[in-house]
Amino acid sequence: MFNKVLIANRGEIAVRVIRACREMGIKTVAVYSTADRHALHAQIADEAVCIGGPATKDSYLNYKAIIAACEITGANAIHPGFGFLSENATFARTCERCGITFIGPSPDSIDMLGDKAAAKSAMKAAGVPVIPGSDGAVPTMEEAIRLAEEEIGYPLMVKASAGGGGRGIRLVERREDLERAVTEAKQEAKNYFGDDSIYMERFIVNPKHIEFQILADKSGNVVHLGERDCSMQRRNQKVLEETPSTVMTDDLRRRMGEAAVNAAKVCGYYNAGTIEFLLDEKGEFYFMEMNTRIQVEHPITELVTGIDLVKMQIKIADGQPLPFKQEDISLRGHAIECRINAENPKENFRPCPGEIKALHTPGGPGIRIDSSAYQGYVITPYYDSMIAKLIAYAPTREEAIMKMKWALSEFIVEGVDTNIDFQLELIRDPVFEKGNYDIGYLGRRK
């Protein structure tokens, strides 16, 4: 087992990994920017190293400084968390060359699955259902027009091949909007990912966004841990998640789970990963993408399965086999996660950095808080605005919703604006309570 793990991240996920390492008897190293000098993860780790200025390119994306921090502290493994360098194949290869274990999949898997067009081609070859669209990146505007007219049809989606987080995506409903959408998507993709390649696929009307959590060891054993319904989205960004999905049947879960496991196997994948599907109104599902990292919403899966995903990531990276088979996995109860952000929903969700002057978090049976915030902590403008993840767990969905309502009502943050009241409105929304929402619901909601 590793003697010391460096966490190449910040915020609540860095705190989450540090706590898992503590329980495993592993020493930890935090890295932080000058803006995060007083951040919780830098305070609770066994060691902390400043790696640069506030800008992410100077700190959390500065993989040379992160590798140097490993060498200085003697850390022999790196956990990348999510975001930043977690899906960067170059960083993973650099770790390998330096004799440092990257707690995640292989660089080759990251490369293949990070290119959304290449991943789609691999899924088609493996027999996993995919959304009808282009075979790989679309090289020219002329080819984009031809594909739209002759093969895909309207409405369609233009997507960045190297994209994620809702960036580089455009909906095209008619021919006259296609060229502008392609140009805008390519430019946004170039700005955010350094790669302007795009692909195109049919737009599925009113789908559910269903993702399956998988775990795979280095011996080729793969299991899925059930689904998460991530359909409550605003501008392609997830707002809250729940498991299990209200639309899932035993047969559908079996078929989608088998597809997810096959997707991982065909890629030679190991460690934790998430296969994301779109589920249409007829019950047909299509591969959308695979995230080669731990997900923000992983706690709800942990609660219904009883499996600590971060600990499993570390054990798999250490070469240990999965301690269970698919038939050993059982889903118990219902879990919901709300993302609590420092933002103002009344002002188009404008981020609201500032000092948290007072903080009271809810508690009680079935309530979990993943956070790095504390009273007096200053939320900076340099990074995402998440304050906490609030998770409610209960034997039934109805009970989990009730717990979440009370938990949100008890959550107090003073000094910055938050989306707590907005989340409470969603939990009370009759459409959510019935489970009838899809990924376009928030856009249609008045």
Side-chain angles (χ1 to χ4, degrees):
M1 181 51 72
F2 309 115
N3 69 306
K4 191 181 291 186
V5 171
L6 182 145
I7 297 89
N9 216 296
R10 64 178 302 280
E12 57 85 14
I13 188 60
V15 172
R16 168 76 180 87
V17 176
I18 290 169
R19 288 170 175 164
C21 288
R22 278 179 174 174
E23 293 178 16
M24 299 175 74
I26 302 171
K27 292 188 178 298
T28 57
V29 179
V31 293
Y32 63 92
S33 72
T34 53
D36 272 341
R37 190 175 302 277
H38 301 293
L40 185 61
H41 76 283
Q43 297 183 49
I44 67 173
D46 295 294
E47 300 173 68
V49 179
C50 182
I51 53 172
T56 55
K57 65 180 179 63
D58 297 328
S59 51
Y60 298 108
L61 292 177
N62 185 351
Y63 67 86
K64 292 181 180 179
I66 292 170
I67 295 295
C70 274
E71 295 174 348
I72 292 169
T73 60
N76 58 346
I78 290 178
H79 195 300
F82 48 68
F84 295 131
L85 294 169
S86 62
E87 295 180 283
N88 187 306
T90 299
F91 177 59
R93 289 193 177 93
T94 301
C95 291
E96 285 187 351
R97 288 198 297 269
C98 295
I100 301 165
T101 299
F102 179 80
I103 300 176
S106 70
D108 289 343
S109 290
I110 296 173
D111 263 338
M112 180 173 66
L113 293 164
D115 184 323
K116 302 301 187 294
K120 182 178 177 180
S121 296
M123 294 305 109
K124 287 179 69 175
V128 178
V130 300
I131 302 171
S134 60
D135 290 323
V138 180
T140 65
M141 188 68 75
E142 290 74 18
E143 179 63 7
I145 294 171
R146 188 196 69 78
L147 284 167
E149 297 291 333
E150 299 178 10
E151 297 185 23
I152 302 175
Y154 296 97
L156 60 82
M157 296 292 286
V158 177
K159 294 186 174 184
S161 294
R167 303 292 186 180
I169 297 177
R170 295 293 185 278
L171 170 62
V172 184
E173 298 186 89
R174 53 185 185 171
R175 163 66 182 88
E176 48 265 42
D177 296 332
L178 179 62
E179 294 183 42
R180 177 174 56 83
V182 169
T183 300
E184 290 178 354
K186 288 175 72 68
Q187 185 59 54
E188 188 172 18
K190 182 69 173 178
N191 292 342
Y192 280 92
F193 312 115
D195 180 351
D196 71 351
S197 59
I198 56 97
Y199 66 102
M200 295 162 51
E201 63 186 21
R202 182 181 301 164
F203 177 67
I204 308 299
V205 179
N206 299 329
K208 279 276 196 179
H209 181 146
I210 305 293
E211 62 185 30
F212 270 71
Q213 177 71 57
I214 63 102
L215 285 173
D217 63 27
K218 294 183 179 180
S219 298
N221 302 306
V222 185
V223 300
H224 74 80
L225 306 183
E227 81 279 0
R228 296 185 289 256
D229 192 326
C230 305
S231 305
M232 194 63 82
Q233 300 181 11
R234 175 184 167 273
R235 296 182 180 176
N236 299 310
Q237 298 285 340
K238 299 169 185 174
V239 176
L240 65 79
E241 303 89 6
E242 64 176 316
T243 184
S245 170
T246 59
V247 300
M248 192 62 58
T249 64
D250 290 341
D251 178 66
L252 183 57
R253 180 178 291 115
R254 177 188 59 78
R255 291 188 291 118
M256 294 184 77
E258 288 177 356
V261 168
N262 290 339
K265 287 183 175 180
V266 77
C267 299
Y269 193 89
Y270 57 78
N271 215 270
T274 303
I275 293 83
E276 303 196 352
F277 298 101
L278 290 181
L279 177 67
D280 69 18
E281 296 173 314
K282 299 178 181 178
E284 298 296 324
F285 63 90
Y286 305 92
F287 171 83
M288 184 168 61
E289 64 180 11
M290 181 171 183
N291 292 309
T292 57
R293 52 172 167 78
I294 195 77
Q295 293 276 91
V296 175
E297 57 271 21
H298 76 273
I300 59 174
T301 295
E302 293 183 326
L303 289 172
V304 299
T305 62
I307 295 171
D308 188 313
L309 292 174
V310 175
K311 287 183 181 178
M312 286 306 307
Q313 283 190 289
I314 295 169
K315 291 176 181 179
I316 291 169
D318 186 50
Q320 298 180 36
L322 293 180
F324 39 69
K325 298 179 180 179
Q326 189 64 59
E327 55 266 29
D328 300 321
I329 306 299
S330 60
L331 310 179
R332 298 186 179 91
H334 199 96
I336 304 170
E337 175 180 297
C338 289
R339 304 186 185 196
I340 308 303
N341 299 327
E343 60 188 13
N344 190 330
K346 295 180 181 179
E347 297 182 14
N348 199 29
F349 295 85
R350 174 179 58 84
C352 296
E355 180 183 349
I356 297 177
K357 298 185 181 299
L359 176 66
H360 173 77
T361 56
I367 298 298
R368 168 174 164 176
I369 303 282
D370 279 22
S371 177
S372 63
Y374 56 86
Q375 186 169 320
Y377 176 66
V378 176
I379 299 171
T380 75
Y382 302 108
Y383 316 114
D384 70 77
S385 61
M386 185 181 292
I387 296 173
K389 299 185 307 196
L390 173 61
I391 306 103
Y393 172 78
T396 68
R397 185 173 189 265
E398 291 72 21
E399 292 175 274
I401 290 174
M402 183 60 70
K403 282 181 181 288
M404 182 60 81
K405 288 178 181 178
W406 285 112
L408 287 166
S409 299
E410 294 175 9
F411 209 133
I412 299 173
V413 181
E414 294 184 359
V416 296
D417 294 329
T418 75
N419 66 336
I420 292 173
D421 288 343
F422 174 76
Q423 289 280 18
L424 189 53
E425 288 178 12
L426 293 186
I427 290 294
R428 290 171 172 168
D429 190 316
V431 174
F432 173 78
E433 290 188 331
K434 293 177 181 177
N436 294 336
Y437 60 98
D438 56 64
I439 63 173
Y441 174 66
L442 281 186
R444 301 188 302 269
R445 183 175 178 266
K446 301 299 183 183

